[in-house]
């Protein structure tokens, strides 16, 4: 919140600046594996995406990695094998998340092994959402407000995904309860307009908000990704997001509780 | 052990002076006749000899000679030289008043700035005069002494518009900025674009690039010592200026003519007054201003005593209607008492208060809260200057500072969903004892040696922690009020020697150790007022630097040019950096959990050619340097370039007095871009492109260069009123210097990633109108 405000108030508004696309000569590093593993309480939700990093000048696309062995095990239970449904995408129907339980992920690719654990948080759902117009330095914008009640006890973290007419907003919205433990929260999902303003919420738009209850390690992942790996960074030293994967892969393993609400923007 | 050796040397010299009966001392204070201002660094020379001295920072001088007849020459920059013939058969006290050089001389052969001393055993030091600050063109026409300091070799600017600076590869928090002896914690306005110093009231400015004498301490890389005018004690003066961004006004005059005076100087920006003219409530409710106020009183109490009371108050306020507000500022107050014990012993006692705080206000529709942070110092400094004998000047004294830091307090409103959180206050005592002797060993060889002994004591009440390798708290230690948590004791030897090869050139070398106990935690590309000041703790050790330097100095062209070349090597220990993914906004008492520690090294060569006389004056500086860090946990424990590592740094400054009405100025800077971290690849997460980083700071931003032009036109010039118009053009050829480089998916070529450069200022003109009564 503080960070967003500083960015808004920063140079972009007061001083006119110039932007231009430049050519950079960037060396490509050796390939690293990227594992994006998610699961929620619905059967069939367990999905693991495996790909690799690509050189900067290559086409940005998801190049899946096949022939990996992927398993997820609930603590005290036998591991469930996820099978490759399309290149690089591994799924299973027979496992889903139960709040409070610990899950272990094991991915074997060639002779490399990557593991992670994540405990599924207890459900917290949105009390309500509403759209309000905000006025910042003359720019009028519709902002979604989310309301929910944080349970007492530090360690709750949340991620929100905003869909406008089915289009996902690219801004990463994550919150924790470090400053608001146990309270009724009413928070604004601040975002900035893209150059072509395609992500603006207009009157009459269908707005849907998904709320994820996430593990604190995943909050740290999204927070550090947003701060230093999106390419638009205020950080003096960009770095890779803090991952809960062990073994040297990029990405994360998150078991979360999902709920959603939708409204029409007035 | 060093201390005992120094004390015995001291005793020897004191004994020596007692037994030399046929020597007498000439002492006194040297001032400007027109204003009564004391002159710092004025030269007192025995005609036709190499003997002499210079006045100290309060205008006091003392020189001991054998009985006899002498002609003494008193000179200072911009002043007419005065000669006094005297018969020295007893101690003589002289109060000298120098007249200003009349400005209507057609052939201007005045020194633009003070002549540097070839023989003084001090190196890595540059003095900048008010004239140079006035004439160098700057952004928005705001005269800024910090921007002029950045034009010196070895001093690197922190970036476009930023008033932060790095000295010899050190960090931005390793510079001690003193305004009339009070430390200024955040010398920036408006997120770093302007500095907090009102250059009109500045008398003297010196920067020590690491080899500071023992009376200075507390920061590794530099000391920027700024002295304000005392206030004209002869006549009233009103002067000021109206510019594009701000207006300033100075008032000074005598309280009792010749004995006491006052000085008040203020500046305020008014961008927000224009905002208020808007009918749009989203615009007219925004605040955007800063102000500075300097006030000073000085009293002469008899022949031997002087009392100074001064204060500085400055504040910045940024606010976006009812959503967000940022408010920060410094306040300093000092009381100083000069006492002349006798012709050889001068004393200054200072009581200093310094406060820096910031407040962030967030209003989110009923969920309002404030974040408040503060650092407050109470400081007692006592310094004696003993002009013992004709060959030694000894400075000794002590300094005791009490620091109180309130690292962060979150205060919500009644209806807010934010919980109140008060981080524990941090208390510490920084004590130092120092002694330094400047010894004229022979006509050619001068030596300055001294030591500063510092003790940093961390006190309770408070909790301090122990951590594991991942930064998790493993133990908590609670301390009661006043209980000692830990004391760090360090000895900082400072040695410098100069050897005069001939009348035109000299060779100098020095070694200095510096210790720093206050650290600024910052992780943003531009300095932010919300960077945290943190004192050393049981885990954060004092930073230590050892700097070795060698220099060659030569006067050329019959004193018209000064050339210097210095080579340095600096070792830094206990350097701090953030962990990858550190949460810098985390409001936790266990701040060390986000930090990693290691060491640094910096080395380079600095060249400076200064032209000090004639219609054309200025300088050309070039620095070739490297600055690196090795921090455990960063860059796979390999050395990496510090962000401020810039291989080449060139500054060319020229000031030309065209005729009586017009003077022109220009400066051109060029430097290698900062060391930055660029992606080594990319991948997809959650359907978006994410960038992959490997080595830290292994790439370079594009080279930075810029030309600024300025012109001053003198309008009315009568004894009662004078005015001028100052024009400037910042970035005259519109070079787009990269401020940041970002990466994003291309909209024109889907699937391709592009690098986008953001540049800030191009072709910024400004006009300022200055007046003086």
């Amino acid at each position: 919140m503080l960070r967003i405000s500083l960015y808004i108030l920063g140079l972009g508004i007061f001083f006119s600046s110039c932007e231009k696309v430049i050519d950079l000569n960037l060396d490509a590093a050796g390939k690293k594996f990227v594992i994006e593993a998610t699961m929620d309480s619905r059967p069939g939700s367990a999905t693991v995406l495996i790909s690799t990093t690509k050189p900067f000048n290559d086409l940005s696309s998801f190049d899946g990695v096949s022939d990996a062995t992927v398993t997820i095990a609930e603590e005290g239970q036998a591991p469930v094998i996820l099978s490759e449904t399309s290149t690089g995408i591994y799924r299973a129907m027979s496992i889903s998340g139960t709040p409070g339980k610990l899950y272990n992920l094991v991915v074997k690719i060639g002779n490399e092994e990557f593991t992670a654990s994540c405990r599924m948080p207890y459900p917290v759902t949105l009390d309500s959402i509403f759209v309000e117009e905000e006025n910042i330095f003359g720019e009028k914008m519709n902002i979604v407000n989310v309301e929910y009640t944080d349970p007492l006890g530090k360690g709750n973290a949340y991620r929100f995904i905003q869909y406008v007419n089915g289009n996902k907003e690219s801004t990463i919205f994550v919150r924790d309860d470090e400053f608001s433990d146990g309270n009724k929260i009413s928070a604004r999902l601040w975002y900035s307009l893209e150059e072509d303003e395609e992500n603006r919420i207009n009157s009459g738009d269908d707005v849907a908000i998904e709320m994820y209850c996430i593990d604190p390690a995943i909050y740290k992942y999204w927070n550090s990704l947003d701060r230093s790996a999106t390419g638009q960074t205020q950080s003096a030293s960009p770095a890779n997001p803090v991952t809960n994967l062990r073994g040297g892969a990029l990405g994360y393993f998150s078991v979360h509780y999902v709920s959603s609400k939708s409204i029409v923007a007035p | 052990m060093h201390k005992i050796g120094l004390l015995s040397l001291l005793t020897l010299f004191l004994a020596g002076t007692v037994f030399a009966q046929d020597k007498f001392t000439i002492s006194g204070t040297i001032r400007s006749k027109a204003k009564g201002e004391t002159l710092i660094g004025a030269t007192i020379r025995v005609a036709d000899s190499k003997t002499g001295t210079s006045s100290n920072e309060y205008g006091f001088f003392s020189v001991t000679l054998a009985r006899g007849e002498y002609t003494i020459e008193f000179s200072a920059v911009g002043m007419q030289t005065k000669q006094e013939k005297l018969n020295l058969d007893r101690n003589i006290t002289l109060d000298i008043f120098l007249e200003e050089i009349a400005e209507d001389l057609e052939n201007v052969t005045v020194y633009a700035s003070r002549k540097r001393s070839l023989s003084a055993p001090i190196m890595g030091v540059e003095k900048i005069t008010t004239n140079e600050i006035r004439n160098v063109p700057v952004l928005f026409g705001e005269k800024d002494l910090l921007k002029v300091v950045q034009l010196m070799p070895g001093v690197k600017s922190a970036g476009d518009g930023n008033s932060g600076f790095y000295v010899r590869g050190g960090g931005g928090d390793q510079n001690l900025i003193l305004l009339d002896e009070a430390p200024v914690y955040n010398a920036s306005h408006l997120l770093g674009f302007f500095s907090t110093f009102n250059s009109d009231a500045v008398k003297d400015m010196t920067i020590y690039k690491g080899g500071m004498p023992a009376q200075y301490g507390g920061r590794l890389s530099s000391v920027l010592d700024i002295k304000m005018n005392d206030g004209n004690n002869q006549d009233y003066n009103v002067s000021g200026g109206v510019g594009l961004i701000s207006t300033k006004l100075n008032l000074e005059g005598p309280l009792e003519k010749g004995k006491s005076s006052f000085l008040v100087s203020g500046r305020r920006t008014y961008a927000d007054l224009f905002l208020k003219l808007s009918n749009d409530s989203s615009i007219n409710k925004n605040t955007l201003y800063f102000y500075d106020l300097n006030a000073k009183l000085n009293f002469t109490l008899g022949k031997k005593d002087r009392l100074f009371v001064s204060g500085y108050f400055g504040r910045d306020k940024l606010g976006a209607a009812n959503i967000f507000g940022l408010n920060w500022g410094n306040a300093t107050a000092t009381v100083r008492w000069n006492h002349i014990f006798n012709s050889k012993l001068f004393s200054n006692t200072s009581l200093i208060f310094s406060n820096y705080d910031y407040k962030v206000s967030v209003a989110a529709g009923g969920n309002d809260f404030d974040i408040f942070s503060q650092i407050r110092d109470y400081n007692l400094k006592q310094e004696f200057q003993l002009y013992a004998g004709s060959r030694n000047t000894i400075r000794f004294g002590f300094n005791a500072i009490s620091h109180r830091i309130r690292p962060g307090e979150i205060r919500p409103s009644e209806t807010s969903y934010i919980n109140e959180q008060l981080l524990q206050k941090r208390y510490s005592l920084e004590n130092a004892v120092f002694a330094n002797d400047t010894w004229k060993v022979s006509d050619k060889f001068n030596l300055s040696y001294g030591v500063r002994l510092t003790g940093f004591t961390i006190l309770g009440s408070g909790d301090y922690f122990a951590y594991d390798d991942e930064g998790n708290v493993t133990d908590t230690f609670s301390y009661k009020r006043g209980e000692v948590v830990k004391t760090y004791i360090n000895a900082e030897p400072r040695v410098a020697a100069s050897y005069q090869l001939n009348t035109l050139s000299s060779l100098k070398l020095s070694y200095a150790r510096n210790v720093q106990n206050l650290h600024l935690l910052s992780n943003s590309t531009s300095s932010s007022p919300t960077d945290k000041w943190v004192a050393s703790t049981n885990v954060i050790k004092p930073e230590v630097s050892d700097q070795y330097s060698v220099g060659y100095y030569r006067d050329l062209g019959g004193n018209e040019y000064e050339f210097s070349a210095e080579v340095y090597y600096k070792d830094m220990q206990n350097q701090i950096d953030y962990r990858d993914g550190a949460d810098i906004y985390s409001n936790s008492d266990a701040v060390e959990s986000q930090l990693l520690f290691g060491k640094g090294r910096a080395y380079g060569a600095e060249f400076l050619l200064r032209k000090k006389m004639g219609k054309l004056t200025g300088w050309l500086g070039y620095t070739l340097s490297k600055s690196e860090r090795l921090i455990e946990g960063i860059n796979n424990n390999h050395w990496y370039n510090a962000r401020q590592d810039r291989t080449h740094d060139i500054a060319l400054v020229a000031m030309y007095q065209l005729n009586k009405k017009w003077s022109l100025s220009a400066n051109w800077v060029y430097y290698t871009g900062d060391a930055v971290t660029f992606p080594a690849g990319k991948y997809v997460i959650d359907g978006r492109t994410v960038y992959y980083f490997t080595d830290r700071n292994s790439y370079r931003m594009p080279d930075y260069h810029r030309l600024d032009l300025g012109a001053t036109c003198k309008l009315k010039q009568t004894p009662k009123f004078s005015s001028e118009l100052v024009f400037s053009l910042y970035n005259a050829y519109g070079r787009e210097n990269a401020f940041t480089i970002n990466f994003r998916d291309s909209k024109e070529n889907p699937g391709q990633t592009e690098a986008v450069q953001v540049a800030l200022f191009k072709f910024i003109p400004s006009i300022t109108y200055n007046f003086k009564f």
Side-chain angles (χ1 to χ4, degrees), chain A residues 122-196:
Chain A
Y122 286 95
V124 178
T125 55
L126 288 164
D127 293 336
S128 69
I129 63 174
F130 59 92
V131 174
E132 211 166 52
E133 190 177 71
E134 298 291 344
N135 209 328
I136 312 168
F137 282 112
E139 179 79 67
K140 290 193 171 72
M141 271 172 70
N142 281 322
I143 303 283
V144 179
N145 289 247
V146 294
E147 295 193 322
Y148 60 94
T149 309
D150 179 75
L152 201 59
K154 282 201 185 177
N156 299 101
Y158 312 93
R159 182 170 169 222
F160 300 92
I161 304 188
Q162 175 176 296
Y163 296 88
V164 179
N165 294 332
N167 297 316
K168 188 153 117 179
E169 166 59 39
S170 60
T171 310
I172 298 172
F173 304 106
V174 277
R175 304 179 58 81
D176 71 352
D177 60 357
E178 191 186 351
F179 302 120
S180 51
D181 185 33
N183 299 339
K184 262 178 113 65
I185 318 283
S186 174
R188 293 173 200 177
L189 299 182
W190 293 104
Y191 66 97
S192 30
L193 290 173
E194 278 162 28
E195 264 182 59
D196 52 12

Side-chain angles (χ1 to χ4, degrees), chain B residues 509-750:
Chain B
L509 44 83
S510 83
Y511 161 72
R513 167 169 277 216
N514 276 291
V515 170
Q516 178 165 342
N517 281 291
L518 286 180
H519 324 275
L520 186 65
L521 303 180
S522 164
N523 195 24
S524 43
T525 41
S526 55
S527 65
S528 159
T530 54
D531 294 338
K532 274 191 190 158
W533 280 103
V534 149
S536 299
T537 67
N538 56 330
V539 172
I540 302 175
K541 300 204 187 83
E543 297 178 54
V544 179
S545 76
D546 291 295
Q547 184 176 284
Y548 310 85
S549 49
V550 174
Y552 172 73
Y553 308 83
R554 191 179 171 82
D555 287 344
L556 303 162
N559 286 345
E560 216 176 314
Y561 295 89
E562 283 178 4
F563 172 75
S564 60
E566 281 188 27
V567 172
Y568 66 90
Y569 176 82
K570 178 157 73 175
D571 225 313
M572 292 167 271
Q573 296 169 50
N574 302 328
Q575 300 298 284
I576 306 173
D577 205 333
Y578 276 105
R579 278 179 198 279
D580 283 347
D583 195 350
I584 52 179
Y585 295 111
S586 156
N587 217 42
S588 159
D589 286 320
V591 64
E592 299 98 330
S593 64
Q594 307 294 314
L595 307 176
L596 296 168
F597 306 96
K599 56 188 182 185
R601 65 184 178 209
Y603 45 92
E606 295 166 10
F607 302 94
L608 180 64
L609 180 65
R610 266 180 120 151
K611 183 169 194 287
K612 313 198 94 177
M613 284 167 70
K615 286 195 161 195
L616 176 68
T617 56
W619 67 85
L620 171 63
Y622 170 65
T623 310
L624 178 67
S625 65
K626 185 124 189 100
S627 177
E628 309 173 287
R629 301 286 180 272
L630 174 63
I631 308 271
E632 255 197 64
I634 294 180
N635 207 41
N636 289 320
N637 298 346
H638 289 134
W639 283 99
Y640 61 93
N641 294 323
R643 188 181 173 86
Q644 62 266 29
D645 176 50
R646 293 182 195 154
T647 318
H648 306 285
D649 194 305
I650 303 173
L652 174 61
V653 180
M655 294 166 279
Y656 185 66
Q657 189 77 38
L658 187 62
N659 52 42
K660 273 199 273 188
K661 218 166 135 85
W662 285 93
S663 67
L664 308 170
S665 59
N667 63 267
W668 184 71
V669 290
Y670 174 96
Y671 53 82
T672 314
D674 281 355
V676 280
T677 308
F678 282 157
K682 58 187 179 183
Y683 54 100
V684 176
I685 287 279
D686 196 34
R688 64 183 306 137
T689 309
V690 178
Y691 299 92
Y692 170 54
F693 300 96
T694 50
D695 300 327
R696 181 178 281 217
N697 294 346
S698 56
Y699 287 98
R700 291 271 163 205
M701 293 288 270
D703 291 349
Y704 179 105
H705 53 93
R706 186 192 88 232
L707 172 69
D708 304 326
L709 301 170
T712 305
C713 175
K714 286 202 200 292
L715 304 168
K716 256 180 130 99
Q717 300 280 303
T718 66
K720 281 212 179 265
F721 178 76
S722 63
S723 62
E724 61 181 20
L725 268 179
V726 182
F727 305 92
S728 75
L729 180 61
Y730 183 88
N731 201 355
Y733 56 72
R735 156 98 177 154
E736 284 179 14
N737 286 306
F739 181 71
T740 53
I741 292 182
N742 292 323
F743 303 93
R744 62 173 186 214
D745 293 323
S746 167
K747 290 255 154 154
E748 289 90 42
N749 305 318

